[in-house]
């Protein structure tokens, strides 16, 4: 177009976006998760992040906005607070308190011993330990995505994203027989349909279906 000619509307607005299949989450095995967690051992903030993401299924933003008053180690639970006035917001716009596994409690207790009282004083669980261009020690970490991708690539899992750990949690709990309604409330979904979308079955979870079919066939043949 001539540079002086103004177009009254955006010509791209009338085009149809190309359809693409939604990305399937990468469901980690326990062995792969342990390898990923081990690769984060030199970055203690990332190590705790990966542990809590696997153990709670919480979203990245929910974890990174955690403050120590949200964590109750004595009663073994944590609160993901929704408080927009303080820049803390959950996707469902509601606070929720969930119980913690023994592994999560141990990880938080170890992290607190190392960093909670470390100067300068800071309420944040995930905080900067050193200064950089945009943050000072004690400031809240806004993202661990790049560090996560480096750690996952180091153990030959380059396609894994932090949100995949949430998929892993929901799928794992549904496969263990936890009622979908409880899983929905635990992870903060607004409706049951959303929870069920996360129930991606892996091959091992289908074994009982095949076994049941074989048993029925044998019983029918022997009848």
């Amino acid at each position: 177009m001539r540079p002086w000619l103004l177009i009254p509307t955006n010509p791209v607005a009338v085009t149809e976006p190309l359809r693409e299949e939604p990305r399937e989450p990468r469901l980690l095995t326990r062995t792969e998760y342990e390898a990923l967690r081990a690769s984060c051992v030199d970055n203690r903030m990332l190590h705790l992040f990966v542990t809590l993401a696997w153990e709670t299924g919480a979203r990245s933003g929910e974890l990174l906005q955690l403050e120590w008053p949200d964590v109750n180690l004595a009663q073994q639970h944590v609160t993901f607070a929704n408080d927009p006035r303080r820049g803390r917001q959950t996707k469902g716009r509601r606070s929720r308190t969930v119980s913690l596994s023994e592994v999560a409690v141990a990880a938080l207790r170890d992290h607190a011993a190392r960093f909670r009282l470390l100067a300068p004083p800071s309420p944040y669980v995930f905080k900067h330990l050193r200064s950089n261009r945009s943050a000072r020690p004690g400031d809240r970490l806004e993202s661990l995505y790049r560090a996560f991708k480096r750690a996952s690539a180091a153990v030959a899992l380059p396609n894994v994203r932090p949100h995949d750990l949430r998929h892993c949690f929901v799928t794992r709990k549904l496969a263990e027989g936890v009622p979908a309604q409880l899983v929905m409330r635990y992870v903060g979904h607004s409706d049951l349909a959303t929870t069920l979308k996360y129930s991606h079955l892996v091959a091992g979870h289908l074994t009982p279906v095949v076994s049941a079919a074989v048993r029925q066939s044998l019983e029918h043949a022997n009848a």
Side-chain angles (χ1 to χ4, degrees):
M1 301 295 295
R2 297 183 181 88
W4 60 87
L5 181 61
L6 297 178
I7 304 175
T9 59
N10 181 3
V12 180
V14 297
T15 63
E16 293 185 4
L18 294 176
R19 293 185 178 181
E20 58 179 345
E21 292 296 324
R23 175 190 177 276
E24 282 295 316
R26 176 65 163 81
L27 299 180
L28 301 182
T29 65
R30 169 66 65 170
T31 300
E32 290 173 330
Y33 159 68
E34 293 295 351
L36 174 61
R37 189 167 179 249
S39 73
C40 305
V41 71
D42 292 331
N43 184 335
R44 300 310 301 181
M45 296 295 162
L46 180 61
H47 188 268
L48 179 66
F49 175 85
V50 169
T51 302
L52 293 184
W54 177 269
E55 293 291 334
T56 69
R59 302 176 181 92
S60 296
E62 294 172 341
L63 290 173
L64 292 177
Q65 71 181 14
L66 277 178
E67 299 180 7
W68 284 114
D70 303 322
V71 180
N72 190 324
L73 293 176
Q75 298 185 17
Q76 299 190 354
H77 64 67
V78 65
T79 298
F80 298 112
N82 185 68
D83 188 358
R85 292 175 299 177
R86 297 181 56 214
R88 308 180 67 195
Q89 189 165 300
T90 63
K91 189 175 181 180
R93 305 295 190 270
R94 288 178 295 184
S95 300
R96 71 182 189 279
T97 299
V98 300
S99 299
L100 294 170
S101 67
E102 294 292 340
V103 173
V105 170
L108 280 164
R109 185 173 284 118
D110 177 69
H111 193 82
R114 290 171 180 248
F115 303 110
R116 185 171 186 176
L117 300 180
L118 186 68
S122 173
Y124 305 116
V125 175
F126 295 96
K127 63 183 180 181
H128 287 275
L129 300 178
R130 292 177 292 274
S131 298
N132 58 35
R133 296 178 182 178
S134 58
R136 297 171 298 178
D139 288 351
R140 180 168 71 89
L141 280 169
E142 298 294 333
S143 174
L144 282 168
Y145 185 82
R146 291 184 178 179
F148 181 93
K149 293 300 291 183
R150 287 194 296 269
S152 61
V155 290
L157 296 169
N159 297 324
V160 175
R161 302 180 306 181
H163 198 70
D164 289 338
L165 298 180
R166 180 171 170 85
H167 284 271
C168 289
F169 178 86
V170 175
T171 304
R172 190 169 73 250
K173 293 305 174 183
L174 292 176
E176 291 171 1
V178 179
Q181 292 86 347
L182 293 182
V183 178
M184 176 191 75
R185 294 180 60 184
Y186 191 96
V187 299
H189 286 154
S190 58
D191 57 70
L192 188 59
T194 303
T195 304
L196 295 178
K197 288 179 182 178
Y198 279 66
S199 60
H200 307 283
L201 296 177
V202 295
H205 297 162
L206 296 175
T207 301
V209 177
V210 178
S211 300
V214 171
R215 284 198 306 271
Q216 291 175 2
S217 298
L218 292 175
E219 291 172 357
H220 180 74
N222 295 329

